[in-house]
Amino acid sequence: MKITLKLYARLAQYLPAGAAENQARIELAEGASVNQVLEQFGLPPAHCHLVLVNGVYVAPSERPQTALRPDDVLAVWPQVAGGGWPGG
Amino acid sequence: MGWAGKILRVDLAKGSCTPEPLNAKWAAEYLGQRGLASKYLATEIDPKVDPLSPANKLIFATGPLTGTAASTGGRYSVITKGPLTGAIACSNSGGYWGPELKNAGWDMIIFEGKAKKPVYLFLEDDRAELVPAGDLWGQTVWATEAAIRAKHQDPQIRVSAIGKAGEMGVMFACIVNDQHRAAGRSGVGAVMGSKNLKAVAVRGSQGVRVRDAKAFFEATTKGKATLAANPVTGQGLTTYGTNILMNVINEVGALPTRNHRDVQFEGARKISAEAMHEKRPTDGKANLVHNQACFGCTIACGRMSQLDKGHFTVVNRPQYWGASGGLEYENAWSLGAAAGIDDLEALTFANFLCNEHGIDPISFGATLGAAMELYDMGVITTKETGGIELKFGSAQALATLVELTGKAEGFGKELGLGSKRLCAKYGHPELSMSVKGQEFPAYDSRGIQGMGLTYATSNRGACHLRSYTVASEVLGTPVKTDPLATEGKAALVKAFQDATAAVDSSGLCVFTTFGWTLDDIAPQIDAALPGGWTTQRLLDVGERVWNLERQFNLAAGLTAKDDTLPKRLLTEPAKTGPAKGKVNELGKMLPEYYELRGWSKDGVPNKDTLKRLGL
Amino acid sequence: MKAVILGAGPAGVTAAETIRAHNPKARITLVGDEPHPPYGRMAIPYLLSGRIDEAGTHLRADPDHYRNLGITLKTGRALGLDAKARTLALEKGELAYDALLIATGAKPVKPKIKGLNLPGVHHCWTLADARAIAALARKGEPVVLMGAGFIGTIILEALALRGVSLTVVEQADRMVPRMMDAKAGALLKRWCQAQGVKVLTGTSIAGVEKGPKGLAVTLSTGKTIPAALLVVAAGVAPNIGFLKGSGVKAKQGLLVDAHLETSLPGIFAAGDVAQGLDFTTGALAVNAIQPGAVAQGRLAGLNMAGERVADRGQLAMNVLDTLGLVSASFGAWDGVDGGWRSAALDRDNFRYTRLEFLGDRLVGANLVGIGPHVGMVRGLIETGTRLGAWAKTLKRDPNRLPEAYVATLAGRRD
Amino acid sequence: MQRSLMIEPVKCTGCKQCEMACSMTHEGVFNPARSRIRVFEFHAEARFVPYTCTQCAQAWCQQACPVEAISVDAATGAKVVKEARCVGCKVCTIACPFGTVNYVRATGKVAKCDLCGGDPACAKACPTQAITYVDSDWTGLERMRAWAAKATATA
């Protein structure tokens, strides 16, 4: 099955070759878990702070048993924040 | 000690500048800056005054840590009754101006009345002088700063000024210092313009003392180490700035797009921090040049950007070829997604012009988005716009209108009304995406429920800087909560509101709270000030400030009915993303919030609450 | 090697130290004509104003400094010179030398005006003068100062700080006419008057007589004013009288080449007595200023020690504190042919900045009410740094010079 | 090995922590106007340049002083102002071609960087290592000294 993997900020360096604009279509075995993908691409677990499947947060404890489905979007960020415009 | 102990009262009508001692009792209760100046304002003006009348006052205030080596200790606020909202306004700015005021020996400046002719205040240590500003009237913020520095022959003078927008009463005009740092929201610049006050120029050489220099050094050094070790304040914000959020908020389905018609923007990535780092195909250079810190800041989230000289916005306009303040998340959103525009260079240009002319990019972009929806509906046509095709996604319209709005010319004058008045004028008040007349920032409360309550209850109208529950609901700081749930959000909002009010009163930047709690801040304040400052005392200050602001607004005529959201967010479900099918469930959160605050069902603070807080 | 240095001011002392640094074996004799350890004339006004004591004027703080360096101090006055025999005649005895430095400095000029020999008329030049002035310049006493040139204006401050009732008489149309332009001079005058000092420009002293307060000073206007003390600061002339007939060539001062050597081999000159290369004009000029004297002393010392080092010329420059108003001038402050200027004047706040350029290079400056980093002016002038686009910026706002300096000279290190 | 301040403007964010550390160390107050190091801002270039004395070998300031109020700290190589001897004549301020000796009205004396006796507060306070205190070899000090010599001199 294919899913979309999106890696942002400093994690972009872990995207496969040929990826553009922070994302890549990747081929996975049916039923692969979130954690399997993170491991497959060598993402350091400590840096996988915000892990979203189709925009929904997956807590670290759920990542091993959360199975991905075809065309899911898995997006990952290190710890980030913004919030805004400190002029306001 | 922390406080300079002295404030300057400027009667613009009389042309007098009078020093007076800082009210020490109030300082002990309200700390400084936002809290303390709000106390002065609430005590000194009738809350019912017309914000743009001479009876309103305009206060520039620093906090006790402003001008010290505490990380981010470089802030000041402008406090007044806001014209956009009719509520108390407090807009916070960084850069170098606030510390300069403190270094000149002043905690705050209170402007009263209205000058007969345009003036600016020149303050050099103890010397205060109102200088005729007829030649500066009509000038941009940037030109004003250069002219004042040249006139007084001191390039180190710091200037806080309005552009033509403030002079002309653009309802979201702001006050800009150091090229691109602004007391941005609620139209404080229009109040300044209504007083015929062009600028406040400051030069200080007296310095800031703290109660216990050794303890202060230890506390601030520890604080800096904590920020440096934190992945957000030590690396994330430093490297990517706030606009790292663009893709995050889009992914969670809370990026307001095309005047909140949509909650996800297909062009989000093109205007994100990641894109700012990439080389442009046109000239091979990145939009982002460097990061910049405000005074004392060890985070340095500020962006410095440089445009592609060949871009249509600046071709043949070399005055915009240098680096200047780049896109923060809110601005990238408001100038971009809110109007459906994905041209990073055009957004950066618009951002430059917002700073140059002194308008709030959030309210400007959101108002442009609302106008585009009216255009899309056929309510506004090229007849009204003077030929401008106001289509969603038009970078050309953005570039043209940011300049017209900054100069309050043509259709820019209409946009200068702000979305509430503009939409009402064209018969569609429901299309103004605002609370109490102030436009939303960059989070759709259908996808982040707590932000709905944040916006509805914010004392200065819709605002993310009063309680940033996004930190918890999306970013997992300090703990992750479910953005689509309403349970527990009332308590979360109250906690964020009180803590933020305390930080805003200290002279520090609220961004430190990504790495610090009040437990990190209290020792720094305690070392700077006499009287013993603990986390609990700061929380008390925060709650006191919040209730003081609330009391002001109630006295100004606002009621619980104003604690609400536009119909669209309460009734039109999100179309895509995780929040698809959801509306904001404010009704589930608001009563609980009132109760937690110790307020009546009508949102009025109970007697016990007021007594407990010494109000 | 026998090195004799005549004159124990900054140039002489620096030369002696420089020779020692390059030649451990040289026999170095430093001859002064006053009975004190070498002191800085620059410090005398501060002695007068009470900020320092006499020890505070000493060029070197350590009393054993010269002994530790093996420099022989000698008090004496030179009478003449035998260049062939390489001997210097003193009032008491002779000194033989292999290399001689003449660093005898200058002495104040006494104009030919009636009454300047009366008691109560003093120059302000030596420590002895300072003592005499201090005795007369008491709080509230009327004091007249003749001359508001650079030295006069420094003395002005010292006198004013002593609380005397001071009148300054300057025959030129403005204060410090050889250092400042008319605008700057006018600012200084108005500032001094605001501090309670009477400044009469375009006025001269016609004569002095005894008077009820001690002296009566008659001005060119015909008016006569009382004075307990008249201080004469009407210019200086190099101390070269003893060289008459020696063969050392002189005009305004002793003419020296790029190696600070006079027309006679082995005889060098430095400091206020020397007419050396001027950085700005390329001509020979007497630049009687402290840093120039030191630089020439150092160069002369090097050349006397056998290091052939050439002078690129001394930049004329001065800094002045007039009762709290600090001003400075550098190089071609009055402009050069084909050049251009950028100026900013704020009369109310006593600020004036005038920069003179040739092309995109800075060549001179007049500054009143100066900000920080004033030395950068020297740096830019002496390096001849091309300012490029910054020249345009400075044309709009001359006070951005420190930024221009850092951007063009210092900021490009990485 | 003598050490000196290495300044790398490309790392500077303009936060002025160095100025505050300097003024607090020397004056007991946070006051950038009294700092001996100053960060220059070049906004249009997004460039910030900390700037202070290079402790140049020529020691223009020391040479120009008429009363030996500036001396060399043997341990650090810093040219140090002895306040007790300084008369405030300001000759050093015009003599220093780097413009890094400044007159301080409040004290009537001049002030300049003294390397804090070998433990510079500015370097410790810099959050981005734009200012570091390193072996002189690393700073290009010799290059700078060569520049100083060429720049101004007389040599």
Side-chain angles (χ1 to χ4, degrees):
Chain A
M1 67 171 183
K2 284 193 176 223
I3 70 153
T4 299
L5 176 66
K6 297 180 175 178
L7 299 176
Y8 291 101
R10 277 167 294 126
L11 298 182
Q13 60 184 301
Y14 296 98
L15 281 163
E21 304 203 328
N22 294 90
Q23 56 179 290
R25 286 289 283 177
I26 57 168
E27 182 71 39
L28 293 179
E30 295 289 328
S33 73
V34 168
N35 253 13
Q36 280 169 349
V37 179
L38 302 182
E39 279 166 24
Q40 183 182 330
F41 286 88
L43 289 155
H47 294 174
C48 297
H49 177 73
L50 199 55
V51 176
L52 308 180
V53 174
N54 302 324
V56 178
Y57 179 70
V58 183
S61 60
E62 298 163 4
R63 290 172 197 166
Q65 61 269 25
T66 301
L68 292 161
R69 287 168 302 183
D71 295 324
D72 271 352
V73 176
L74 172 62
V76 190
W77 284 263
Q79 202 171 341
V80 295
W85 190 36
Chain B
M1 292 303 142
W3 297 297
K6 199 172 66 170
I7 69 177
L8 182 70
R9 193 173 287 278
V10 179
D11 185 327
L12 291 162
K14 284 188 196 151
S16 64
C17 301
T18 317
E20 66 183 49
L22 182 74
N23 186 317
K25 180 174 174 288
W26 291 354
E29 289 168 359
Y30 292 92
L31 189 53
Q33 202 161 326
R34 174 175 161 190
L36 188 52
S38 295
K39 177 65 178 171
Y40 271 90
L41 187 81
T43 308
E44 295 189 10
I45 72 166
D46 175 357
K48 289 201 157 52
V49 296
D50 173 355
L52 298 179
S53 73
N56 193 8
K57 296 191 184 185
L58 182 73
I59 306 179
F60 288 67
T62 64
L65 296 190
T66 305
T68 70
S71 184
T72 80
R75 312 217 46 110
Y76 77 97
S77 291
V78 177
I79 295 90
T80 187
K81 182 177 176 183
L84 193 64
T85 56
I88 193 165
C90 171
S91 292
N92 183 305
S93 181
Y96 304 108
W97 188 90
E100 199 70 31
L101 177 65
K102 192 77 168 287
N103 269 314
W106 306 92
D107 290 306
M108 58 172 91
I109 311 170
I110 302 178
F111 290 99
E112 306 177 346
K114 177 183 179 177
K116 288 182 193 78
K117 287 184 175 167
V119 292
Y120 68 90
L121 176 71
F122 179 58
L123 199 54
E124 191 175 25
D125 290 333
D126 291 335
R127 210 181 104 218
E129 181 191 0
L130 286 168
V131 185
D135 53 336
L136 298 176
W137 209 246
Q139 299 281 330
T140 67
V141 169
W142 295 354
T144 299
E145 180 186 85
I148 290 176
R149 287 176 169 178
K151 179 182 160 63
H152 294 279
Q153 299 195 52
D154 186 349
Q156 290 181 274
I157 290 171
R158 300 296 180 179
V159 177
S160 184
I162 55 169
K164 204 170 169 190
E167 299 169 13
M168 299 290 284
V170 167
M171 296 302 275
F172 46 82
C174 57
I175 301 172
V176 180
N177 56 283
D178 302 294
Q179 303 281 319
H180 59 93
R181 288 287 152 193
R185 303 223 66 196
S186 312
V188 294
V191 176
M192 189 154 159
S194 77
K195 300 192 168 305
N196 266 337
L197 178 63
K198 180 67 179 177
V200 187
V202 188
R203 186 78 167 98
S205 63
Q206 308 206 343
V208 179
R209 289 170 202 283
V210 290
R211 180 182 62 81
D212 182 340
K214 189 166 168 283
F216 189 77
F217 178 76
E218 280 165 16
T220 53
T221 301
K222 193 172 163 216
K224 285 176 217 172
T226 304
L227 291 180
N230 181 287
V232 171
T233 51
Q235 286 191 343
L237 277 172
T238 309
T239 309
Y240 290 100
T242 56
N243 201 16
I244 192 67
L245 284 187
M246 183 61 74
N247 291 308
V248 178
I249 304 301
N250 194 46
E251 198 71 18
V252 302
L255 187 69
T257 301
R258 290 173 285 266
N259 204 36
H260 290 243
R261 276 182 171 176
D262 299 299
V263 295
Q264 288 183 308
F265 179 41
E266 61 284 357
R269 199 205 161 275
K270 289 188 180 172
I271 58 171
S272 67
E274 281 86 352
M276 288 166 71
H277 273 263
E278 284 162 9
K279 285 179 178 160
R280 292 180 286 245
T282 45
D283 66 354
K285 292 177 185 162
N287 175 281
L288 180 76
V289 187
H290 204 296
N291 62 329
Q292 181 184 7
C294 293
F295 183 95
C297 177
T298 56
I299 303 172
C301 75
R303 303 292 94 182
M304 290 296 282
S305 287
Q306 202 156 7
L307 287 161
D308 172 359
K309 295 181 177 71
H311 190 263
F312 81 87
T313 50
V314 296
V315 78
N316 299 324
R317 299 181 83 181
Q319 69 267 38
Y320 299 112
W321 291 356
S324 192
L327 292 167
E328 311 294 340
Y329 170 57
E330 300 299 332
N331 309 4
W333 163 79
S334 65
L335 302 169
I341 301 165
D342 65 5
D343 179 341
L344 183 65
E345 297 296 300
L347 269 50
T348 306
F349 170 77
N351 197 48
F352 283 11
L353 265 71
C354 284
N355 293 323
E356 185 187 17
H357 295 293
I359 55 175
D360 170 19
I362 298 181
S363 283
F364 165 72
T367 303
L368 179 66
M372 283 176 167
E373 182 162 9
L374 290 166
Y375 185 86
D376 193 55
M377 292 160 66
V379 175
I380 290 176
T381 66
T382 48
K383 207 178 118 209
E384 283 82 17
T385 65
I388 300 165
E389 294 199 34
L390 210 49
K391 287 184 183 155
F392 276 124
S394 169
Q396 184 69 57
L398 170 71
T400 306
L401 281 167
V402 71
E403 193 150 7
L404 287 176
T405 307
K407 295 177 177 172
E409 290 171 1
F411 189 66
K413 251 189 211 167
E414 300 272 290
L415 291 183
L417 293 169
S419 69
K420 181 181 164 187
R421 291 165 179 83
L422 179 85
C423 292
K425 181 173 174 179
Y426 288 97
H428 288 275
E430 77 284 0
L431 293 183
S432 167
M433 294 297 114
S434 62
V435 173
K436 299 180 177 75
Q438 178 157 298
E439 290 73 15
F440 289 115
Y443 311 89
D444 194 300
S445 59
R446 290 168 292 194
I448 308 174
Q449 291 288 323
M451 288 309 283
L453 182 62
T454 287
Y455 295 150
T457 59
S458 163
N459 285 331
R460 68 164 183 173
C463 173
H464 60 295
L465 292 169
R466 287 297 175 268
S467 103
Y468 192 65
T469 62
V470 177
S472 167
E473 298 181 87
V474 176
L475 307 172
T477 309
V479 285
K480 184 76 175 73
T481 54
D482 181 355
L484 299 178
T486 54
E487 294 77 25
K489 296 296 166 66
L492 191 66
V493 168
K494 178 183 181 294
F496 267 101
Q497 284 174 339
D498 291 347
T500 304
V503 175
D504 283 347
S505 302
S506 69
L508 298 175
C509 175
V510 72
F511 277 18
T512 54
T513 56
F514 289 121
W516 287 345
T517 67
L518 290 183
D519 290 339
D520 297 288
I521 293 172
Q524 303 184 49
I525 295 178
D526 185 56
L529 298 180
W533 289 82
T534 60
T535 298
Q536 186 55 49
R537 184 168 173 191
L538 291 177
L539 281 170
D540 291 345
V541 166
E543 191 176 5
R544 187 175 298 124
V545 172
W546 192 264
N547 280 274
L548 176 86
E549 293 171 342
R550 179 73 177 182
Q551 290 286 81
F552 180 95
N553 285 349
L554 293 174
L558 295 170
T559 68
K561 282 188 188 135
D562 297 294
D563 298 342
T564 189
L565 299 171
K567 202 173 71 182
R568 173 168 281 171
L569 302 176
L570 298 172
T571 61
E572 288 179 28
K575 292 178 197 156
T576 61
K580 187 174 175 181
K582 295 255 180 198
V583 294
N584 184 271
E585 299 185 88
L586 180 65
K588 287 188 181 170
M589 299 179 281
L590 192 61
E592 186 189 351
Y593 171 83
Y594 283 168
E595 199 180 328
L596 280 171
R597 277 254 168 247
W599 295 355
S600 74
K601 286 191 172 58
D602 298 323
V604 178
N606 298 328
K607 278 197 180 124
D608 289 351
T609 304
L610 295 176
K611 198 178 158 197
R612 177 169 58 82
L613 296 169
L615 282 160
Chain C
M1 199 267 277
K2 285 176 292 194
V4 170
I5 292 151
L6 190 59
V13 168
T14 305
E17 291 166 351
T18 306
I19 294 168
R20 174 55 73 231
H22 286 79
N23 185 343
K25 290 183 184 160
R27 281 172 54 197
I28 305 170
T29 308
L30 180 61
V31 186
D33 71 348
E34 291 182 59
H36 330 278
Y39 67 92
R41 221 176 282 302
M42 282 288 304
I44 286 182
Y46 304 97
L47 174 68
L48 262 187
S49 59
R51 206 181 298 187
I52 52 172
D53 59 15
E54 284 194 10
T57 68
H58 295 169
L59 282 169
R60 301 295 177 252
D62 180 357
D64 295 329
H65 175 78
Y66 304 95
R67 190 169 359 141
N68 292 344
L69 286 180
I71 296 168
T72 307
L73 289 183
K74 201 172 169 67
T75 304
R77 188 175 289 267
L79 299 176
L81 177 69
D82 184 340
K84 274 190 192 145
R86 297 211 167 196
T87 55
L88 182 69
L90 297 176
E91 283 164 329
K92 290 178 193 161
E94 271 184 1
L95 272 176
Y97 63 84
D98 298 313
L100 170 68
L101 177 68
I102 299 169
T104 47
K107 60 170 182 270
V109 170
K110 188 170 275 191
K112 285 180 181 136
I113 294 170
K114 201 181 122 219
L116 291 193
N117 291 321
L118 287 169
V121 180
H122 292 278
H123 292 299
C124 181
W125 196 248
T126 61
L127 275 179
D129 293 337
R131 289 174 193 148
I133 290 171
L136 291 169
R138 295 207 192 88
K139 201 172 165 65
E141 290 289 324
V143 173
V144 175
L145 171 63
M146 180 197 292
F150 175 69
I151 293 166
T153 304
I154 287 181
I155 297 167
L156 178 159
E157 166 162 291
L159 291 170
L161 290 177
R162 291 182 70 87
V164 304
S165 171
L166 183 61
T167 303
V168 183
V169 183
E170 166 60 47
Q171 69 184 23
D173 63 350
R174 62 179 188 268
M175 291 179 67
V176 279
R178 295 200 300 157
M179 170 181 163
M180 292 279 173
D181 68 12
K183 285 189 177 117
L187 280 185
L188 256 62
K189 176 175 171 178
R190 198 157 51 81
W191 174 270
C192 289
Q193 287 178 319
Q195 317 296 315
V197 175
K198 268 189 223 106
V199 182
L200 308 172
T201 48
T203 308
S204 53
I205 290 176
V208 184
E209 291 173 357
K210 283 191 177 165
K213 278 282 177 182
L215 298 168
V217 179
T218 303
L219 305 175
S220 55
T221 56
K223 198 180 164 192
T224 297
I225 52 178
L229 166 69
L230 172 65
V231 178
V232 178
V236 298
N239 281 317
I240 52 176
F242 71 99
L243 291 172
K244 202 173 262 180
S246 68
V248 179
K249 281 190 187 153
K251 281 189 178 168
Q252 287 92 43
L254 301 180
L255 299 169
V256 292
D257 65 12
H259 298 97
L260 282 303
E261 200 161 11
T262 65
S263 56
L264 297 181
I267 301 178
F268 296 77
D272 294 9
V273 75
Q275 188 174 352
L277 196 62
D278 180 81
F279 180 87
T280 300
T281 61
L284 297 183
V286 177
N287 271 338
I289 57 167
Q290 165 88 15
V294 172
Q296 286 184 335
R298 181 176 152 270
L299 281 165
L302 285 170
N303 284 290
M304 289 165 77
E307 309 269 331
R308 294 289 286 176
V309 181
D311 186 5
R312 290 180 63 225
Q314 298 304 314
L315 180 69
M317 56 185 181
N318 265 321
V319 62
L320 193 58
D321 187 341
T322 318
L323 299 167
L325 185 64
V326 181
S327 56
S329 79
F330 292 87
W333 55 265
D334 205 24
V336 292
D337 286 346
W340 56 278
R341 97 179 42 140
S342 170
L345 172 66
D346 180 353
R347 279 196 184 81
D348 295 344
N349 295 301
F350 297 95
R351 278 192 66 98
Y352 179 54
T353 305
R354 170 180 170 175
L355 304 181
E356 289 289 341
F357 297 86
L358 183 61
D360 64 350
R361 293 179 167 98
L362 185 70
V363 294
N366 256 180
L367 311 163
V368 180
I370 59 176
H373 313 299
V374 61
M376 288 177 176
V377 175
R378 177 187 188 185
L380 283 175
I381 295 174
E382 289 194 336
T383 53
T385 297
R386 300 200 58 171
L387 290 157
W390 276 97
K392 270 189 202 154
T393 304
L394 293 176
K395 190 164 197 171
R396 287 195 302 271
D397 184 352
N399 286 290
R400 295 183 65 187
L401 184 120
E403 292 164 72
Y405 176 98
V406 172
T408 54
L409 256 176
R412 294 291 168 202
R413 271 187 244 133
D414 65 340
Chain D
M1 169 82 64
Q2 200 131 80
R3 298 208 291 166
S4 52
L5 289 170
M6 176 163 74
I7 291 173
E8 297 170 272
V10 73
K11 293 183 180 173
C12 178
T13 62
C15 78
K16 321 252 173 186
Q17 284 283 348
C18 53
E19 296 184 3
M20 283 185 283
C22 179
S23 59
M24 179 49 88
T25 301
H26 292 98
E27 319 289 345
V29 60
F30 295 116
N31 186 355
R34 295 284 296 276
S35 171
R36 292 111 193 258
I37 186 166
R38 172 175 166 195
V39 180
F40 280 80
E41 300 151 35
F42 298 98
H43 190 262
E45 295 176 62
R47 192 175 158 80
F48 309 96
V49 184
Y51 185 71
T52 190
C53 173
T54 62
Q55 313 299 344
C56 71
Q58 296 276 359
W60 304 100
C61 58
Q62 184 189 12
Q63 291 184 28
C65 180
V67 293
E68 205 181 24
I70 299 176
S71 58
V72 182
D73 179 327
T76 62
K79 314 304 180 284
V80 180
V81 177
K82 285 184 212 151
E83 278 220 3
R85 277 194 73 81
C86 175
V87 297
C89 78
K90 309 170 195 66
V91 172
C92 55
T93 69
I94 59 166
C96 168
F98 305 94
T100 50
V101 191
N102 284 309
Y103 177 65
V104 182
R105 192 171 298 277
T107 58
K109 318 261 178 189
V110 297
K112 69 176 291 300
C113 171
D114 59 4
L115 293 176
C116 296
D119 188 17
C122 54
K124 279 193 290 187
C126 179
T128 62
Q129 287 81 52
I131 307 167
T132 46
Y133 192 54
V134 297
D135 289 347
S136 294
D137 278 1
W138 288 95
T139 64
L141 186 73
E142 289 314 316
R143 254 188 310 139
M144 275 167 38
R145 284 184 173 158
W147 173 82
K150 192 180 76 179
T152 24
T154 38

